[in-house]
Amino acid sequence: MSETASFVDPVFLARFGLTRINAIDYFLHPLNPFRTKAKTSNEVLNMQGINIGTLMAWGTGTRPGPLPLEEGEDEYRVALSRLTGEQYELLPLANVEGATPQQLAALFTIRHVHRTSHNQTKVLGIYYILEGVIYKSPTVRGLMKSHITRTLEGLSEACDALSVCARYDPSTGYIWKFEPSADDEEDDESFYNIQEKKKRKRRRILDNRRPGERTAEEEEGIRASEAIDRILSRLSNSEVVVKGKPIV
């Protein structure tokens, strides 16, 4: 699944709203594509009538209710730690004191873990709920790919801009002309038209979807871009470019 995918259920939000009490229930929505297909410990607790809301209302044997939100979340984490398997944990907020209800309902962080014992877990994923929309946290690979692609894109645009100023003369070789002349207007116009077409067809930087998830038009654009890259690579290795030999 693409890292730019998201999920929102306006019916759930309009009927129940979204707070820290029901954020896990919202994430476990049957139509949420991010949730695991395996049965989670959260669903086991739900079948037993245990969730943050009930723990706040009734408490536990050691903590009789009603409980504040922080203690209810603590008891829910304790209940999850007694079970093994895949679980979703609602990460606590920092600096809760003084926060308004709107601020508390703006962002939720959910961690998907596989628990093998009381104190041993393996993180499987991190998710965010921002203004009712669920997103998957980007991976380190995705962030690195994004930064590298942006850097290469800037370098490519710089090379394209410099290539307009490069001129070849058989008697003097390559020279730089940074000020346009009347003879260069037609060539420059053609060059910029090509660049504008390339920009319009350029696919999104963070698009790392699998081939089956792209449309036919996107696939054709990617194949054309790869073909152009191969042609430019062959031209960059030709004697005309490398040694400056004129074409006879």
Side-chain angles (χ1 to χ4, degrees):
M1 180 180 297
S2 172
E3 293 182 356
T4 58
S6 62
F7 171 78
V8 61
D9 181 13
V11 177
F12 183 101
L13 298 175
R15 184 175 181 183
F16 303 106
L18 188 61
T19 64
R20 295 188 64 83
I21 297 176
N22 63 353
I24 293 292
D25 295 330
Y26 181 62
F27 189 86
L28 292 175
H29 192 287
L31 298 180
N32 180 14
F34 297 114
R35 60 161 295 174
T36 179
K37 296 181 180 180
K39 191 172 185 179
T40 63
S41 301
N42 307 85
E43 294 170 298
V44 174
L45 293 179
N46 282 340
M47 290 188 293
Q48 299 175 5
I50 300 175
N51 54 51
I52 297 177
T54 57
L55 290 172
M56 290 176 59
W58 303 105
T60 62
T62 57
R63 286 183 176 180
L67 299 176
L69 176 61
E70 294 81 359
E71 295 184 9
E73 292 183 11
D74 290 340
E75 291 297 331
Y76 187 73
R77 282 190 285 270
V78 171
L80 283 176
S81 66
R82 298 192 183 102
L83 303 175
T84 59
E86 295 189 38
Q87 304 176 354
Y88 289 105
E89 301 175 342
L90 180 63
L91 299 185
L93 285 174
N95 300 324
V96 177
E97 295 182 3
T100 63
Q102 291 78 12
Q103 292 172 330
L104 291 175
L107 175 64
F108 307 94
T109 306
I110 294 178
R111 181 170 59 187
H112 182 199
V113 301
H114 184 271
R115 184 180 295 276
T116 55
S117 65
H118 177 75
N119 55 2
Q120 288 187 346
T121 59
K122 178 182 178 182
V123 179
L124 302 179
I126 303 290
Y127 303 89
Y128 297 103
I129 306 178
L130 180 61
E131 298 291 346
V133 184
I134 301 175
Y135 302 95
K136 183 178 180 180
S137 174
T139 61
V140 176
R141 175 182 177 275
L143 290 175
M144 291 297 295
K145 179 180 179 181
S146 171
H147 294 323
I148 293 174
T149 305
R150 288 193 179 99
T151 303
L152 293 177
E153 185 123 341
L155 292 174
S156 176
E157 291 178 357
C159 292
D160 291 340
L162 289 174
S163 65
V164 180
C165 305
R167 294 293 184 269
Y168 178 79
D169 186 87
S171 59
T172 60
Y174 281 97
I175 60 174
W176 294 99
K177 296 183 64 176
F178 295 102
E179 295 183 0
S181 60
D183 297 335
D184 300 331
E185 289 182 358
E186 184 176 351
D187 294 338
D188 292 345
E189 183 179 356
S190 176
F191 173 81
Y192 284 117
N193 288 336
I194 294 175
Q195 292 302 311
E196 289 299 323
K197 290 181 180 180
K198 287 174 63 178
K199 289 181 180 179
R200 286 196 297 267
K201 293 182 180 180
R202 184 176 299 154
R203 63 190 181 98
R204 297 177 61 184
I205 294 176
L206 295 178
D207 184 9
N208 58 351
R209 293 172 292 175
R210 297 178 180 178
E213 298 176 350
R214 304 189 188 102
T215 63
E217 183 178 355
E218 290 172 333
E219 290 284 355
E220 182 64 26
I222 293 173
R223 287 194 293 268
S225 178
E226 292 175 349
I228 293 173
D229 290 341
R230 289 193 296 268
I231 294 173
L232 292 176
S233 178
R234 290 197 298 268
L235 288 175
S236 64
N237 296 325
S238 65
E239 293 185 351
V240 176
V241 177
V242 176
K243 299 181 180 180
K245 293 183 178 180
I247 299 176
V248 181

